[in-house]
Amino acid sequence: MRDDALVRFTAHEIPRDDLHALMRRSDGPALRRAVWHLGMLILTGAVLWRLASTVWAVPLIVVQGYMLAFIFCALHETAHRTAFGTRWLNPMLGTVAGFMVFWPYGNYRVYHWDHHRFTQDVERDPELYFHKPTSRAAYLFVLTGIPNAFRRIGDILRLAYGRADRPWMAPSERRPLITEARVYLAVYLTIAAVSIAFASSAALVVWIIPWMVGQAFLRPYLLAEHTGCAFTRDCLENTRTTLTWPLVKLFAWNMPYHAEHHAYPAIPFHALPRLHARVRGKIDNLEPGYVRASVKVLRYLAP
């Protein structure tokens, strides 16, 4: 897999010295973000488990679900291998995050690399390989998390069975992806067996159910990234940046700055606010919030 830094994704140019400064990698920002994100998950999960039989369980599941769904963003950042300066920390956190959201780290990396190379290319972008909702009812169904759960679990089962034949899976990558899926599946089955043996609903209450609920927040966020944007090669034109609250950017690892990220994918997440200040005037799709972005997305999908 080629390094992101070797490919240009926008005609916009930043002076070499400035670009190198923005691309500088370090461990501190990602360690702090990971400790915060995982720590909050552990804390909220512990409180949720303790209050599971009370009325507080409902709001706690929503909060836990939001944070759990957005651990996907940790998977995304580490897949680029820009989150940490220490290289091995990226796959370590990425494997944990991938396990939590049912998307094996290596599998996601090959999928996401092709997404960056072929953004908004209807023939080659993996994100356009699967159909997006084309009606309001289908959109609402996506928010339930059910389609995502079927796809994520289905992909693992498909790979574990030995089928690594998606267009973005190169022949040289297929065997490692199959092995990875089998390891993930073995761990999932072990957790299920232990839960049944001890008649414990802990995994269901603090992990599976919140993860499903959290898709109601993650799906609109993901659909806002490119839906309704231009089908061009320039990522400042084919990708949307959404301005949002600091708390959202915190759990999304700054990925609401998505046009910036696509235009310069070798720049770490913690430098994206500085990059935004440099390119804001060049971004074709800039929304003031996710409500406005979601309205545009829905109008595009189901006019």
Side-chain angles (χ1 to χ4, degrees):
M1 188 181 303
R2 297 162 64 194
D3 193 289
D4 294 347
L6 302 179
V7 183
R8 290 188 63 191
F9 296 100
T10 178
H12 180 270
E13 292 187 0
I14 292 177
R16 183 179 296 272
D17 289 345
D18 293 350
L19 186 59
H20 285 173
L22 288 166
M23 289 171 57
R24 190 172 296 119
R25 302 175 187 183
S26 63
D27 292 339
L31 284 172
R32 289 190 293 271
R33 190 69 56 103
V35 168
W36 164 263
H37 203 151
L38 294 174
M40 288 299 296
L41 276 171
I42 292 169
L43 176 62
T44 306
V47 175
L48 170 59
W49 179 241
R50 186 174 182 85
L51 301 178
S53 59
T54 72
V55 295
W56 290 104
V58 173
L60 285 168
I61 284 174
V62 173
V63 172
Q64 179 79 342
Y66 182 91
M67 296 188 297
L68 187 55
F70 276 88
I71 209 71
F72 166 81
C73 293
L75 170 64
H76 169 270
E77 283 307 293
T78 54
H80 279 275
R81 295 184 176 173
T82 57
F84 295 97
T86 301
R87 198 166 176 84
W88 62 266
L89 287 172
N90 291 294
M92 186 182 75
L93 178 60
T95 299
V96 172
F99 179 82
M100 294 170 72
V101 299
F102 298 92
W103 203 334
Y105 178 70
N107 182 8
Y108 179 72
R109 281 202 79 218
V110 299
Y111 169 94
H112 192 64
W113 171 236
D114 266 18
H115 167 58
H116 268 271
R117 284 201 299 165
F118 306 120
T119 305
Q120 292 289 78
D121 182 329
V122 295
E123 299 295 330
R124 297 184 290 180
D125 185 351
E127 286 201 0
L128 300 178
Y129 182 82
F130 301 100
H131 295 298
K132 294 183 179 181
T134 56
S135 69
R136 299 197 176 194
Y139 179 84
L140 292 174
F141 184 53
V142 165
L143 300 191
T144 67
I146 295 172
N148 177 66
F150 272 102
R151 185 177 299 170
R152 295 281 61 81
I153 295 169
D155 278 355
I156 292 172
L157 293 175
R158 180 188 180 93
L159 281 166
Y161 185 68
R163 294 188 61 185
D165 54 1
R166 298 296 195 193
W168 52 87
M169 297 175 180
S172 62
E173 295 162 339
R174 289 171 184 169
R175 179 51 54 187
L177 294 180
I178 289 169
T179 301
E180 177 188 55
R182 288 172 178 171
V183 171
Y184 272 63
L185 182 59
V187 178
Y188 290 136
L189 291 175
T190 300
I191 292 173
V194 171
S195 297
I196 292 170
F198 288 91
S200 173
S201 61
L204 195 64
V205 171
V206 304
W207 176 24
I208 307 300
I209 293 175
W211 174 68
M212 290 287 292
V213 170
Q215 300 307 308
F217 302 103
L218 183 63
R219 293 301 114 193
Y221 159 85
L222 293 176
L223 283 169
E225 291 178 342
H226 303 284
T227 308
C229 298
F231 291 92
T232 69
R233 291 291 299 143
D234 196 305
C235 290
L236 292 178
E237 299 171 355
N238 65 24
T239 305
R240 179 178 286 109
T241 282
T242 304
L243 306 178
T244 186
W245 300 334
L247 190 64
V248 175
K249 289 184 283 189
L250 179 66
F251 283 107
W253 290 63
N254 279 347
M255 276 306 105
Y257 294 118
H258 211 63
E260 298 86 339
H261 165 69
H262 265 260
Y264 297 95
I267 292 178
F269 76 97
H270 56 82
L272 290 180
R274 286 186 285 142
L275 175 60
H276 173 73
R278 301 290 299 267
V279 303
R280 176 172 177 147
K282 302 292 184 179
I283 299 172
D284 279 8
N285 302 280
L286 184 65
E287 295 300 331
Y290 277 99
V291 172
R292 183 79 63 85
S294 295
V295 168
K296 281 195 172 182
V297 167
L298 192 53
R299 285 175 178 168
Y300 177 82
L301 294 173

